[in-house]
Amino acid sequence: MPSRNIVNIILLGPGKVGKTFLNILMKNIEHIENTYRISLKVTGVFSSEREITDSNGLALSSLKKIIQGKKILRRATKPSNVHMLMNSGRPFILIDTTSSDNTAELILSALKKGGFAVLSNKRPLCLNFDIYNNFLKSGAQRLFFETTVGAGLPVIETLKSLIETGDEIIELNGCLSGTLGFIFSQIESGMTFSGSILSAKKMGYTESDPREDLKGSDVARKLLILSRLTGMHKEITDINLQALYPEKMNALTVDNFIKEISIYDRIYKGKMTEAKKSGKTIRFIARIKGNKLSANLTMVKKSGDLGSLQGPDNLIVIRTKRYFHHPLIIKGPGAGLEVTAAGVLSDILKIIKIIKGGIS
Amino acid sequence: MPSRNIVNIILLGPGKVGKTFLNILMKNIEHIENTYRISLKVTGVFSSEREITDSNGLALSSLKKIIQGKKILRRATKPSNVHMLMNSGRPFILIDTTSSDNTAELILSALKKGGFAVLSNKRPLCLNFDIYNNFLKSGAQRLFFETTVGAGLPVIETLKSLIETGDEIIELNGCLSGTLGFIFSQIESGMTFSGSILSAKKMGYTESDPREDLKGSDVARKLLILSRLTGMHKEITDINLQALYPEKMNALTVDNFIKEISIYDRIYKGKMTEAKKSGKTIRFIARIKGNKLSANLTMVKKSGDLGSLQGPDNLIVIRTKRYFHHPLIIKGPGAGLEVTAAGVLSDILKIIKIIKGGIS
């Protein structure tokens, strides 16, 4: 079956994750091609306004330049060349490492054409449920997004496989933000709320605007993805989400926000003190329980799995009918360029195995 | 492609795991068949001396009888009917839920015929390296054994995917025996060694002869499987394995062994007391470090991941080049009929996805 021996890769988003992915792909491509007797061709790389394409596969030298951040992408054509590349007749994988809301249509188109899609971008999976449902209807088995929750940690596949084998989720609790995990373990050890935000910012754990982390919407997106995986038909607005600062502070500049946030130091110190009185601590917990979704600051037992978590690690506790008295727990770095990019490559390897149909 | 729409299943070992697997399969078969537009036929069930086969698929009523433990298997033919069933021309999955050393030849034969194999049986993977290597050469991508380490916990696939994407193992530490985990957390809370063995036996955590657990060979097998996955060419005899009782006690009857084991209570109490002096505890740890494999009683920090583990849960800490400062950790029940059987079904679903080639 010669048509199974070339697989085209189309990358949306040559940003930090996209470049790291290309780098890891280049380092491992020879081994992968030999192992699976397959040829992988990156036929296009697209940013929102620029692109580079070659239907025979971009030269290694071009890929290296992209990885090094050299500006070799040309102004994009309209309509986009992505469609042309998806019509090559070869198996293809569309990879979305952007953080854009606008890639859903392309992903749907890829699935409809019988292609595969790998997403590290959470946003297309968090639009209204109809769009998600269209993804599933057009090719549930050809859509991969392991890195959208917990980066390279095996969260998505594990949950999928529990559901597919007939297990039922009783409760799911997660610390799904490395930034918020770091901040609250700092507060636990005596630092102020504002001090811990600054320290997280210095460590590079926060977005350039720390409100992006503190408003919890990234955690909410992850929770929505997990809930949809379990079969729940929820929207992002169905989540009981409590930001860690009042909405009116959204109007401030970043600098002014950072200056003013210290007025909340006493509140979080008070919450922590109260928790400690009863052997507890506070963590920002994403939770599925029954039909309810929530993402907010929660008191948890200090000695438990969520309470003893320290620093920026993610942790997810999955309690199901089968894993009831002893839940299934996955812990580790839930962010980072290397682990995310490697997770994207891992999704691609799953696809290669499917495309090759067990023929080696 | 009509040939992709029927998949035959051949089960070796209708014991506890095998029956639970058939039960979970029956409960989920309709949903799986609808989701993947596939028909699953159990064409044969084989114990070491008895069998039942139907090349068109056993009737539901027969499968129910097997699950209920009714004796409907006939005396086995020689040469075995397994080979006949593997020659049907249809895609097939050979499932080994036995605990036999003698299934390796059948598994190899299945892979050579282009079939798939799913093993919860560790033993065929722990014979000499040549046999393991023959499995890999005959169909590495068609051999699945997620449940051989940590039952339904996602250990094997996670490790595979790290290696395949170019990561390197720095150190791997695991509590891989629920029985030994339970025993040492009992000792930690003040119980004697012999008392905790008896209590583990009462809870059903030990084999009927507790020496099977206490000699550590089951842990050693799991460690060998993990090491081979990472590319190491090791034999079971390469593992520095320390049993928890002296070899001469193998000559005793089970009852006498249980009577006499209390003479070691003082030794283990002493080890635990010594460990506690420096904020540590003792656990039976399987370890890969550099080129060395070991499985033995080890002092670990009480507040660390391995030291804080309580009861029969398994835990594995994977430290790699990418997961270095913050390792990847998986924790949960590492044994149990339901979770093991569901893990076998989960491997089958991976195979179905491969067989269907992303066509849904």
Side-chain angles (χ1 to χ4, degrees):
Chain A
M1 283 176 259
S3 73
R4 295 189 169 226
N5 291 328
I6 301 181
V7 175
N8 288 349
I9 291 178
I10 303 164
L11 175 67
L12 310 179
K16 284 183 192 168
V17 174
K19 280 176 194 155
T20 311
F21 158 71
L22 285 176
N23 194 29
I24 293 186
L25 177 67
M26 289 305 106
K27 276 186 190 159
N28 291 282
I29 198 163
E30 202 181 320
H31 182 66
I32 294 170
E33 291 188 331
N34 290 339
T35 305
Y36 295 99
R37 298 187 197 172
I38 205 161
S39 174
L40 293 173
K41 304 280 185 201
V42 180
T43 55
V45 174
F46 296 81
S47 72
S48 54
E49 291 181 346
R50 305 184 78 81
E51 64 179 47
I52 182 164
T53 64
D54 184 333
S55 54
N56 294 317
L58 294 166
L60 192 62
S61 57
S62 303
L63 292 171
K64 279 188 181 160
K65 282 180 191 155
I66 297 171
I67 293 167
Q68 290 160 1
K70 296 190 179 150
K71 296 196 190 319
I72 65 161
L73 274 60
R74 293 175 286 272
R75 191 170 302 278
T77 56
K78 300 272 172 198
S80 163
N81 272 321
V82 180
H83 290 284
M84 180 268 291
L85 292 176
M86 294 198 292
N87 289 330
S88 71
R90 286 181 188 156
F92 71 89
I93 308 172
L94 181 73
I95 299 173
D96 181 0
T97 58
T98 71
S99 52
S100 164
D101 263 329
N102 305 321
T103 56
E105 207 184 315
L106 279 179
I107 294 162
L108 189 60
S109 175
L111 298 174
K112 281 190 175 162
K113 287 175 200 287
F116 293 81
V118 174
L119 282 60
S120 69
N121 180 13
K122 291 178 273 292
R123 292 173 185 262
L125 302 168
C126 296
L127 303 171
N128 71 59
F129 188 78
D130 287 346
I131 295 178
Y132 183 80
N133 207 28
N134 278 339
F135 288 154
L136 299 191
K137 279 196 221 153
S138 307
Q141 303 307 327
R142 286 178 279 110
L143 178 64
F144 294 80
F145 46 91
E146 185 59 71
T147 55
T148 55
V149 181
L153 304 178
V155 174
I156 299 284
E157 281 298 316
T158 300
L159 199 54
K160 251 193 202 174
S161 121
L162 292 175
I163 302 291
E164 284 193 327
T165 60
D167 205 353
E168 286 164 39
I169 303 297
I170 306 289
E171 191 175 346
L172 185 152
N173 284 282
C175 284
L176 301 179
S177 160
T179 317
L180 299 182
F182 178 81
I183 287 174
F184 285 99
S185 50
Q186 294 281 86
I187 294 176
E188 192 182 291
S189 54
M191 201 181 269
T192 59
F193 181 55
S194 57
S196 66
I197 292 171
L198 273 177
S199 132
K201 195 167 157 59
K202 266 188 203 150
M203 302 282 281
Y205 289 148
T206 69
E207 299 293 323
S208 52
D209 182 348
R211 282 172 292 194
E212 285 300 310
D213 302 290
L214 298 170
K215 68 183 163 197
S217 45
D218 194 54
V219 172
R221 277 187 209 107
K222 293 175 187 174
L223 183 63
L224 185 67
I225 292 173
L226 295 175
S227 79
R228 287 178 169 181
L229 261 184
T230 71
M232 294 169 87
H233 292 202
K234 295 287 188 184
E235 302 294 348
I236 196 93
T237 48
D238 294 330
I239 298 174
N240 173 10
L241 170 67
Q242 282 168 1
L244 294 167
Y245 64 91
E247 214 178 328
K248 61 179 182 198
M249 290 184 84
N250 278 325
L252 302 171
T253 63
V254 174
D255 283 347
N256 282 337
F257 172 77
I258 288 174
K259 265 181 214 150
E260 293 203 9
I261 193 67
S262 65
I263 57 177
Y264 292 96
D265 286 356
R266 249 175 47 148
I267 289 177
Y268 289 104
K269 191 181 171 186
K271 282 177 192 279
M272 186 62 87
T273 308
E274 201 202 319
K276 282 186 174 177
K277 274 183 198 158
S278 49
K280 294 186 173 172
T281 185
I282 49 176
R283 294 284 181 265
F284 197 82
I285 307 279
R287 170 176 291 173
I288 300 178
K289 192 168 184 183
N291 188 37
K292 301 269 183 234
L293 304 182
S294 62
N296 48 39
L297 212 55
T298 309
M299 272 210 247
V300 292
K301 220 169 70 182
K302 176 64 195 124
S303 59
D305 291 296
L306 293 157
S308 60
L309 186 69
Q310 286 297 313
D313 274 355
N314 279 200
L315 187 143
I316 189 160
V317 182
I318 305 174
R319 193 180 297 278
T320 70
K321 229 170 137 182
R322 281 186 210 130
Y323 293 92
F324 186 71
H325 295 295
H326 296 264
L328 195 164
I329 294 170
I330 300 165
K331 172 178 158 183
L337 293 178
E338 280 278 319
V339 293
T340 306
V344 169
L345 181 56
S346 168
D347 275 351
I348 290 177
L349 289 171
K350 290 173 208 156
I351 294 170
I352 291 174
K353 288 172 197 174
I354 288 174
I355 290 174
K356 292 289 286 184
I359 304 148
S360 56
Chain B
M1 281 177 260
S3 71
R4 294 188 170 225
N5 291 328
I6 301 180
V7 175
N8 288 348
I9 290 179
I10 303 165
L11 176 67
L12 308 179
K16 284 183 195 169
V17 174
K19 280 177 196 154
T20 311
F21 158 70
L22 285 177
N23 195 28
I24 293 185
L25 177 66
M26 290 304 107
K27 276 187 190 158
N28 292 282
I29 198 163
E30 201 181 322
H31 181 68
I32 294 170
E33 291 188 331
N34 290 339
T35 304
Y36 296 98
R37 298 186 197 174
I38 204 160
S39 174
L40 292 173
K41 305 279 184 200
V42 180
T43 56
V45 174
F46 296 81
S47 73
S48 54
E49 291 181 347
R50 305 187 78 82
E51 64 179 47
I52 182 164
T53 64
D54 185 331
S55 54
N56 295 316
L58 294 166
L60 193 62
S61 58
S62 304
L63 292 171
K64 280 188 180 158
K65 282 180 190 155
I66 297 170
I67 293 167
Q68 290 159 2
K70 295 190 180 152
K71 297 197 188 318
I72 64 163
L73 275 60
R74 294 175 286 271
R75 190 169 304 278
T77 55
K78 300 275 174 199
S80 163
N81 272 322
V82 180
H83 290 283
M84 179 269 290
L85 293 177
M86 293 197 292
N87 289 330
S88 70
R90 287 183 189 154
F92 70 89
I93 308 172
L94 182 72
I95 299 173
D96 181 359
T97 58
T98 71
S99 52
S100 164
D101 262 330
N102 305 321
T103 55
E105 208 184 315
L106 278 180
I107 294 162
L108 190 60
S109 174
L111 297 174
K112 281 189 174 161
K113 288 177 202 285
F116 293 81
V118 174
L119 282 60
S120 69
N121 180 14
K122 292 178 273 292
R123 291 173 185 263
L125 301 169
C126 296
L127 304 170
N128 70 58
F129 188 79
D130 288 344
I131 295 178
Y132 183 80
N133 207 27
N134 278 338
F135 288 154
L136 299 192
K137 279 197 224 153
S138 307
Q141 302 308 327
R142 285 178 278 109
L143 178 63
F144 293 79
F145 46 91
E146 185 59 72
T147 56
T148 56
V149 181
L153 303 178
V155 174
I156 299 285
E157 281 298 315
T158 300
L159 200 53
K160 251 192 201 173
S161 123
L162 292 175
I163 302 293
E164 284 192 328
T165 59
D167 205 353
E168 286 165 38
I169 303 296
I170 306 288
E171 192 175 346
L172 184 153
N173 284 282
C175 284
L176 301 179
S177 161
T179 316
L180 299 181
F182 177 82
I183 288 174
F184 286 99
S185 49
Q186 294 282 86
I187 294 176
E188 192 182 292
S189 54
M191 202 181 267
T192 60
F193 181 54
S194 58
S196 66
I197 293 171
L198 274 177
S199 133
K201 195 167 156 57
K202 268 187 204 152
M203 303 279 284
Y205 290 147
T206 69
E207 298 292 321
S208 52
D209 182 346
R211 283 172 294 193
E212 286 300 310
D213 302 289
L214 298 169
K215 69 183 162 195
S217 45
D218 194 54
V219 172
R221 278 188 210 105
K222 293 175 188 175
L223 183 63
L224 185 66
I225 292 173
L226 295 176
S227 79
R228 287 178 170 181
L229 261 185
T230 71
M232 294 170 87
H233 292 200
K234 294 288 187 183
E235 302 294 348
I236 196 95
T237 47
D238 293 329
I239 298 175
N240 173 11
L241 171 67
Q242 283 168 1
L244 294 168
Y245 63 92
E247 213 178 325
K248 60 177 184 204
M249 290 184 84
N250 278 326
L252 301 171
T253 62
V254 174
D255 284 347
N256 282 336
F257 171 78
I258 288 174
K259 266 180 214 149
E260 294 203 11
I261 193 65
S262 65
I263 56 177
Y264 292 95
D265 286 355
R266 248 176 47 147
I267 289 176
Y268 290 104
K269 192 182 171 186
K271 282 177 193 278
M272 186 60 86
T273 308
E274 201 201 319
K276 282 186 174 178
K277 274 184 199 157
S278 49
K280 294 185 173 173
T281 185
I282 51 176
R283 294 284 182 264
F284 196 82
I285 307 277
R287 171 176 289 174
I288 300 178
K289 193 170 183 181
N291 188 37
K292 301 269 183 235
L293 304 182
S294 62
N296 49 38
L297 211 56
T298 309
M299 271 209 248
V300 290
K301 220 169 68 180
K302 176 64 194 128
S303 59
D305 292 296
L306 294 156
S308 59
L309 186 70
Q310 287 297 315
D313 274 355
N314 278 200
L315 186 142
I316 189 160
V317 182
I318 306 172
R319 194 180 295 277
T320 70
K321 231 171 137 183
R322 280 185 211 132
Y323 293 92
F324 186 71
H325 295 295
H326 296 264
L328 194 163
I329 295 170
I330 298 165
K331 173 178 159 185
L337 293 179
E338 281 278 319
V339 293
T340 307
V344 169
L345 182 56
S346 168
D347 274 352
I348 290 176
L349 288 172
K350 290 172 206 154
I351 294 170
I352 291 174
K353 288 171 196 176
I354 288 174
I355 290 174
K356 292 289 287 185
I359 303 149
S360 56

